Amino acid sequence: MNVKLRVLTAGVLFFTGQAVFAQEDTTGSKKVKEEAIEQVVVLGYSKTSTKAKSTSASVTVGAETLENRPNISVLNSIQGTAPGIVVNSASGSPGSGKFNILIRGMSSLNGSTDPLYVVDGIITSGSQFRNLNSYDIETFSILKDAQATAIYGNRAANGVVVITTKGGRFNSGLRISYDALTSFSTMPKADYNTANAKQLLQIQKNANGGFGSTLTQDAIDNWTIDTDWNKEFTQVGINQQHNLSVSAGGENINNFISLGYLESEGIVKSTDFKRFTLRNNLNGKSKNGKLTFGAILGLGYSKRNQLDDETNTSISSNVIQNPLFGGVLSPSYVAPSPYADGLALYNAIGTASGANRPYVLMDNIRGGVRNKYTELSITGNINANYQLTDWLSVGNRTGVDFKQHDRIFARSALGYLSLVTALPAGQAYGGSETFQTTNDLTFNNITNITFNKSFGDHNLTVGAYMDYIKVHVNSNAQTQNGLNPVQWQFGAGTGYIPFNPDTPNIYRPTVLATKVNAGTLAFFGTVDYDYQDKYGLSGVVRRDGSYRFALNNRWDTFWSAAARWNIDKEEFMTDSGFRMLKLRASIGTTGNQNLVSVANNSNPLTQLPTNYLNYYDGVSAYQNLLGYSFINLANPDLRWEQVKQSNIGLDFNYKGLVEGTFEYYQKRTSRLYSSINYSAATGTYSVRGNNGKLDNKGVEGLLRFNVIRGEKMKLSLFANAAYNSNKIVSLDNENLADDVVNAIGGPAQQYQLYPYIGVDPTDGNLLFLDKNDNVTKDPQPGDRRLTGKSPYAKFTGGFGFNFNYSGFFFDTLFSFQQGGYIYDNLNAWQMIPSYAQNNINVSADLLNAWTPTNTNTDVPSLTAANINSDGSSDRFLKKSDFIRLKNISLGYSFTKDQLGQLPVRSIKVFLQAENMLTFTGWKGFDPEPITTYSLNVYPNPKTYSVGVNVDF
């Protein structure tokens, strides 16, 4: 962690790091030598500790790591910075909520694996933070072991992320800061060896199908059109962000206020994001110091245009509706679309969409399909703590997290997809428009009483807490079918064709609404004991209640216990050079009540709210009479998933030269959410219940070498790495009927495939191994075997360096992952000869396909009899390993002396790049997303930025 000193006023220090230089005294006559300052560790429920006294496994990322990055979500900036947390962005679409966040592995097979997020002490429903300005964040802390997470009980099975925003400082002068960043984003390149125009035409001619088969060889050799479809569907995204903050503090009150604006163009045309944020953090205390209080308010408003595929999974593999395939699969011998709109396109091609896929996709991104989201977020809390006596205090924190999501989706009146559905059916008007609004309010109230007293060499802190959460979510949607292109404008509510009872099957509007109220209540106690700063004990006992479960299972108990030994405090370590050498251990339990993976932009507490109840819903039945539909069969025995975790860790700092942490942990998830078979006589074949066990084991390490520590020159090298092994211990209902399975004894989401071994040189057919390891050309489903491979990387981490010399700085951050696999669908599609025959672009590798005169090749014959038998083979199962230069920055910080009479304290200018280089064997655009199949991937862009920070 870089050391950053901010001088606030005479004799006052603010630090982020482990060592700072003290300021000159009030006379300016002398300087205090460098001294160690204890690093603050942020824990749960606004508790803090020092690094030396903490018994938990946690890591904190400071503001200097998050600032000056072009990422919309702060989660993008965490990748590679800390061991044990895997951050993968599943979409590079600006403002996307698709994130895969895993802390110490996958702790559930069917339930949510997302960590719990806590912002300024208040539990939030957020899972993507597109409306949280990273410039406003002071610390980003990841709580990993049971001691750190058990305090959050039923919601902490997947770890906890605690975000603390910036505030003012007491006794500080006025400080104004302005930050500006301009960025340019580009599409990464794939390595599929995609055919150019002449190559594709030749492949079609060789395969005797498609447009090329109708041309003479001379016509192919002299073909002039060669469209780069990536240029037609993508663009250089121009991004900018501006941030202004003002802070000041007196003796008893301080305040921090910030304004932020961000605008980002997507690398795929028609996608973009804009955001405005406002934050005000006020802190105060009484004159006698017994009362401390604070008020925090954060506002955010954003709007983004997304592709339909971002939330519509039904078109993830649709080559006519999903523009993400346009750059790869569009035939290069076709010129870009000359048609102004979908009507002109329809008049030209009629219903022949399959032969004109790129034109349809271009119409989609030109306005044929519109998908606009806006989000208003309001977060706020007030907190107060009163010191009743020197050793007893009471406190309360009450907060709200409100989000309003509005979506407008339209298949426009002149969009091709609208017209090709309506006009052939005799309808005069096509198109549809949907308005959807979701209001999501989370209320959190935490009350505590704390006892803290020292008895000689002993210090004891005991706390008692009550935590109440209430969630109210309601949504409504209405869809109008039939749009008049003369009057219709996107989002204006105009041009709607009225419903006619004489034609009830067309132009019929639809409406729907949902409402969910949810809540949890918890009582818990904490204890922390310290003796002579050498030995420490900590514990948590928490009693949780949730609305999700029947009365007999509504309450459960979670706990943790931990101990530490500060070896460096022992007399025999006096001259050892260790500033810190601490051994710690913990054990405990946490729970998971989120029954399913949380949908994008959804509150996890509202998913499957009635799963333990028999539930019926009203429907329109025969002759439009009221009827009832059976929705859910009750399982009153449904309970929390439970995670039991043990951890042992070592923290050390040797002479300030080498510092780091090593961890070993074991986690077992029991009572897994899984299907329980029921008799078919009930009409329901299975219900969600608890059965099975899942283990995660791993090691983590974090090292920093402060190689050069001179006055003018500083160089630090850092690295972190984690290994996680995931294993299913037991399942009552093991289902091995698919290509991706959860098999006992193997990792979660394991590939079950038969081996592909090459091409038969005698006839060009594909060769596989059957279940008995015999060579076969006709593999059967029963020949599939467990591979031991899954999408989840076993090794993850990051490394880099920080270099400073006389105001210049040069910083790098690499991230890496190893051991994961993804089935590469695009690679598979580009190797299918029939796709070329259907005017879909393919790989130029097919020019090397087997023929009677080309038998020494690894490409099957274009007419191989078993060409479609490789779908359940490992032919296209590829490693997703990578080393990525995640961030590199170069800049210069001007000192006050250099700035002379300018009314500024400091200026920093810099250049930086994000995702600049990726070293990988993966052929696709982006190996980062964790997914079983590489469908529907909006890649994370390469981004180059120039920025300036000014402090007044």
Side-chain angles (χ1 to χ4, degrees):
M1 181 181 295
N2 287 337
V3 175
K4 182 184 289 186
L5 173 64
R6 295 178 178 174
V7 180
L8 304 177
T9 188
V12 179
L13 292 174
F14 169 64
F15 63 92
T16 57
Q18 293 188 350
V20 298
F21 286 97
Q23 176 198 351
E24 286 190 7
D25 66 3
T26 53
T27 64
S29 61
K30 66 178 182 178
K31 292 184 178 181
V32 183
K33 67 179 182 179
E34 183 182 4
E35 61 183 80
I37 303 290
E38 288 189 295
Q39 184 180 353
V40 174
V41 176
V42 179
L43 301 174
Y45 289 92
S46 303
K47 293 177 60 179
T48 60
S49 180
T50 63
K51 184 69 174 178
K53 291 186 177 181
S54 173
T55 59
S56 66
S58 63
V59 64
T60 298
V61 178
E64 68 278 6
T65 302
L66 309 176
E67 294 171 346
N68 303 322
R69 301 281 292 273
N71 302 314
I72 292 171
S73 174
V74 64
L75 299 177
N76 280 115
S77 300
I78 300 303
Q79 186 188 88
T81 61
I85 179 170
V86 179
V87 180
N88 294 92
S89 176
S91 173
S93 180
S96 172
K98 290 185 175 181
F99 282 93
N100 301 117
I101 312 295
L102 293 176
I103 297 178
R104 291 188 165 181
M106 187 178 179
S107 297
S108 181
L109 296 180
N110 298 299
S112 173
T113 58
D114 290 337
L116 173 68
Y117 295 94
V118 181
V119 180
D120 289 324
I122 296 298
I123 292 174
T124 175
S125 64
S127 60
Q128 38 69 25
F129 302 107
R130 64 173 64 90
N131 275 13
L132 178 61
N133 190 343
S134 60
Y135 280 81
D136 291 340
I137 296 176
E138 186 67 49
T139 60
F140 187 103
S141 299
I142 301 109
L143 311 184
K144 298 185 288 187
D145 72 339
Q147 174 56 27
T149 60
I151 194 170
Y152 287 103
N154 75 90
R155 302 188 68 181
N158 301 312
V160 182
V161 172
V162 180
I163 298 173
T164 304
T165 60
K166 295 176 181 176
R169 311 290 168 183
F170 292 112
N171 299 310
S172 62
L174 178 67
R175 181 165 188 155
I176 303 173
S177 296
Y178 171 72
D179 305 286
L181 190 71
T182 300
S183 307
F184 304 89
S185 299
T186 61
M187 185 85 166
K189 294 182 179 180
D191 190 27
Y192 289 129
N193 193 24
T194 301
N196 60 31
K198 293 180 180 180
Q199 290 171 329
L200 178 57
L201 291 171
Q202 188 65 57
I203 292 169
Q204 290 176 331
K205 189 172 185 64
N206 294 347
N208 196 29
F211 179 67
S213 65
T214 67
L215 301 177
T216 65
Q217 190 61 51
D218 184 65
I220 293 175
D221 293 340
N222 292 284
W223 193 264
T224 57
I225 299 173
D226 192 4
T227 302
D228 183 352
W229 284 102
N230 280 314
K231 291 183 179 179
E232 301 300 321
F233 287 96
T234 67
Q235 63 188 358
V236 175
I238 301 175
N239 318 307
Q240 61 172 315
Q241 53 180 307
H242 303 271
N243 295 280
L244 177 67
S245 66
V246 179
S247 64
E251 181 180 357
N252 297 315
I253 199 165
N254 64 65
N255 195 67
F256 170 87
I257 186 170
S258 72
L259 292 170
Y261 176 76
L262 182 148
E263 183 176 330
S264 177
E265 290 180 331
I267 55 175
V268 176
K269 291 179 180 179
S270 79
T271 62
D272 58 36
F273 179 84
K274 293 180 181 180
R275 179 183 71 196
F276 172 79
T277 60
L278 168 67
R279 177 164 294 275
N280 191 87
N281 290 5
L282 173 72
N283 293 287
K285 59 183 179 180
S286 62
K287 190 171 183 180
N288 62 9
K290 288 189 174 183
L291 174 66
T292 59
F293 59 90
I296 298 175
L297 177 65
L299 303 177
Y301 176 78
S302 64
K303 58 183 180 179
R304 64 194 190 277
N305 288 292
Q306 295 185 166
L307 301 178
D308 185 20
D309 77 286
E310 185 77 14
T311 53
N312 184 1
T313 57
S314 64
I315 66 167
S316 63
S317 59
N318 192 312
V319 295
I320 295 180
Q321 297 191 38
N322 193 340
L324 290 178
F325 298 129
V328 177
L329 301 181
S330 296
S332 44
Y333 57 78
V334 175
S337 175
Y339 305 107
D341 55 38
L343 180 59
L345 176 60
Y346 179 82
N347 289 334
I349 69 172
T351 60
S353 58
N356 296 274
R357 294 178 185 88
Y359 292 173
V360 177
L361 294 177
M362 288 188 70
D363 179 67
N364 292 348
I365 64 173
R366 287 176 175 177
V369 178
R370 298 286 303 275
N371 194 24
K372 182 178 180 180
Y373 283 82
T374 60
E375 179 178 312
L376 171 66
S377 60
I378 303 173
T379 59
N381 75 71
I382 55 175
N383 61 87
N385 191 84
Y386 188 77
Q387 199 77 28
L388 298 172
T389 69
D390 291 340
W391 45 267
L392 189 65
S393 63
V394 294
N396 178 270
R397 184 181 293 268
T398 299
V400 295
D401 178 11
F402 174 78
K403 293 182 177 66
Q404 178 177 299
H405 304 276
D406 291 296
R407 181 196 184 206
I408 307 174
F409 174 81
R411 291 196 170 186
S412 71
L414 291 177
Y416 177 83
L417 292 179
S418 298
L419 298 174
V420 77
T421 302
L423 298 183
Q427 300 176 25
Y429 302 99
S432 65
E433 185 170 55
T434 299
F435 291 84
Q436 183 176 4
T437 298
T438 300
N439 294 309
D440 182 339
L441 174 67
T442 299
F443 172 82
N444 192 190
N445 181 274
I446 304 160
T447 302
N448 70 284
I449 182 168
T450 304
F451 169 90
N452 183 290
K453 192 170 182 62
S454 295
F455 308 90
D457 292 333
H458 308 269
N459 181 267
L460 180 65
T461 302
V462 179
Y465 296 77
M466 183 183 74
D467 182 0
Y468 173 68
I469 297 175
K470 191 66 183 295
V471 172
H472 301 277
V473 176
N474 62 74
S475 64
N476 60 80
Q478 54 185 5
T479 298
Q480 169 66 36
N481 294 294
L483 307 174
N484 187 332
V486 176
Q487 300 169 302
W488 179 77
Q489 288 186 347
F490 179 70
T494 58
Y496 290 175
I497 305 301
F499 173 71
N500 186 345
D502 295 333
T503 54
N505 294 323
I506 61 174
Y507 311 141
R508 180 171 57 188
T510 59
V511 296
L512 61 88
T514 62
K515 180 179 180 180
V516 178
N517 296 326
T520 64
L521 179 64
F523 303 93
F524 60 98
T526 66
V527 60
D528 296 279
Y529 168 76
D530 175 78
Y531 176 68
Q532 291 187 340
D533 293 339
K534 293 181 183 180
Y535 315 106
L537 297 172
S538 301
V540 175
V541 176
R542 175 167 169 139
R543 185 72 172 163
D544 267 295
S546 173
Y547 85 109
R548 284 194 187 279
F549 308 109
L551 290 175
N552 57 317
N553 288 325
R554 184 149 295 176
W555 291 88
D556 209 340
T557 302
F558 306 99
W559 58 272
S560 72
R564 75 167 204 278
W565 177 26
N566 295 78
I567 306 172
D568 59 292
K569 300 294 185 181
E570 301 289 352
E571 291 185 7
F572 61 81
M573 295 290 291
T574 301
D575 298 321
S576 66
F578 279 95
R579 297 181 180 180
M580 181 173 64
L581 182 62
K582 181 183 66 175
L583 183 67
R584 52 184 164 76
S586 66
I587 188 171
T589 61
T590 50
N592 183 12
Q593 66 168 325
N594 296 323
L595 307 178
V596 291
S597 297
V598 181
N600 191 11
N601 303 320
S602 297
N603 190 318
L605 268 179
T606 64
Q607 308 297 296
L608 296 181
T610 57
N611 205 73
Y612 68 94
L613 298 173
N614 285 320
Y615 186 64
Y616 300 83
D617 194 12
V619 297
S620 295
Y622 179 67
Q623 293 187 340
N624 215 30
L625 297 174
L626 180 63
Y628 290 93
S629 175
F630 187 67
I631 301 297
N632 188 76
L633 182 64
N635 179 9
D637 296 324
L638 187 68
R639 303 179 65 187
W640 277 274
E641 285 185 335
Q642 185 181 80
V643 176
K644 186 175 183 179
Q645 182 176 186
S646 58
N647 186 93
I648 184 168
L650 180 70
D651 304 317
F652 60 91
N653 184 321
Y654 180 72
K655 293 185 176 180
L657 177 64
V658 182
E659 54 186 308
T661 297
F662 292 104
E663 309 270 0
Y664 171 75
Y665 64 88
Q666 292 185 344
K667 291 201 304 183
R668 168 160 289 188
T669 307
S670 57
R671 306 194 306 228
L672 285 170
Y673 293 134
S674 189
S675 296
I676 296 177
N677 292 336
Y678 263 42
S679 169
T682 65
T684 300
Y685 292 92
S686 64
V687 297
R688 188 176 299 275
N690 302 98
N691 72 80
K693 296 177 181 178
L694 175 68
D695 278 356
N696 281 275
K697 299 179 182 180
V699 293
E700 302 166 356
L702 172 66
L703 281 175
R704 176 175 285 274
F705 296 88
N706 300 309
V707 181
I708 302 175
R709 295 179 289 170
E711 184 175 345
K712 288 188 175 181
M713 182 183 295
K714 295 180 176 64
L715 173 63
S716 294
L717 309 177
F718 62 87
N720 71 81
Y723 168 80
N724 176 267
S725 174
N726 178 281
K727 179 181 178 182
I728 299 172
V729 178
S730 65
L731 278 177
D732 292 350
N733 185 22
E734 184 185 46
N735 186 350
L736 302 181
D738 210 339
D739 292 347
V740 180
V741 298
N742 290 320
I744 297 172
Q749 296 190 20
Q750 180 180 185
Y751 292 100
Q752 182 183 228
L753 307 166
Y754 40 76
Y756 169 75
I757 60 173
V759 177
D760 188 338
T762 64
D763 60 11
N765 283 314
L766 293 77
L767 297 177
F768 308 91
L769 293 180
D770 67 13
K771 62 183 178 181
N772 298 316
D773 283 339
N774 297 317
V775 177
T776 180
K777 298 179 184 178
D778 185 27
Q780 300 300 310
D783 292 323
R784 293 177 304 184
R785 61 187 69 182
L786 296 173
T787 62
K789 300 172 181 177
S790 81
Y792 300 98
K794 294 182 180 295
F795 296 92
T796 58
F799 59 91
F801 64 80
N802 305 119
F803 176 74
N804 292 270
Y805 178 74
S806 293
F808 289 97
F809 61 89
F810 183 32
D811 299 325
T812 64
L813 171 64
F814 290 83
S815 63
F816 68 86
Q817 70 178 32
Q818 190 272 330
Y821 289 81
I822 302 174
Y823 192 93
D824 193 347
N825 291 84
L826 277 180
N827 192 8
W829 290 356
Q830 291 226 307
M831 295 299 292
I832 299 177
S834 62
Y835 275 36
Q837 295 170 347
N838 286 303
N839 301 305
I840 295 175
N841 208 358
V842 291
S843 171
D845 292 349
L846 290 181
L847 291 171
N848 191 35
W850 182 96
T851 67
T853 59
N854 182 37
T855 60
N856 186 24
T857 177
D858 60 353
V859 181
S861 169
L862 299 180
T863 58
N866 63 349
I867 195 67
N868 294 319
S869 298
D870 60 359
S872 291
S873 79
D874 62 2
R875 183 184 178 191
F876 297 104
L877 183 63
K878 304 296 183 180
K879 291 182 178 180
S880 59
D881 301 351
F882 69 82
I883 299 176
R884 170 169 283 176
L885 180 52
K886 189 65 179 176
N887 181 265
I888 181 171
S889 60
L890 173 67
Y892 184 77
S893 297
F894 294 88
T895 65
K896 178 61 179 175
D897 291 339
Q898 291 172 316
L899 297 172
Q901 299 301 314
L902 291 176
V904 294
R905 300 185 184 188
S906 65
I907 297 178
K908 180 172 72 174
V909 293
F910 59 92
L911 301 170
Q912 70 146 350
E914 200 89 3
N915 303 324
M916 182 178 179
L917 296 172
T918 302
F919 306 95
T920 181
W922 179 256
K923 291 186 176 183
F925 290 101
D926 192 356
E928 181 177 321
I930 299 176
T931 178
T932 50
Y933 296 94
S934 65
L935 290 170
N936 200 39
V937 174
Y938 190 128
N940 291 283
K942 295 182 178 181
T943 304
Y944 305 88
S945 307
V946 57
V948 60
N949 305 145
V950 183
D951 283 346
F952 297 90

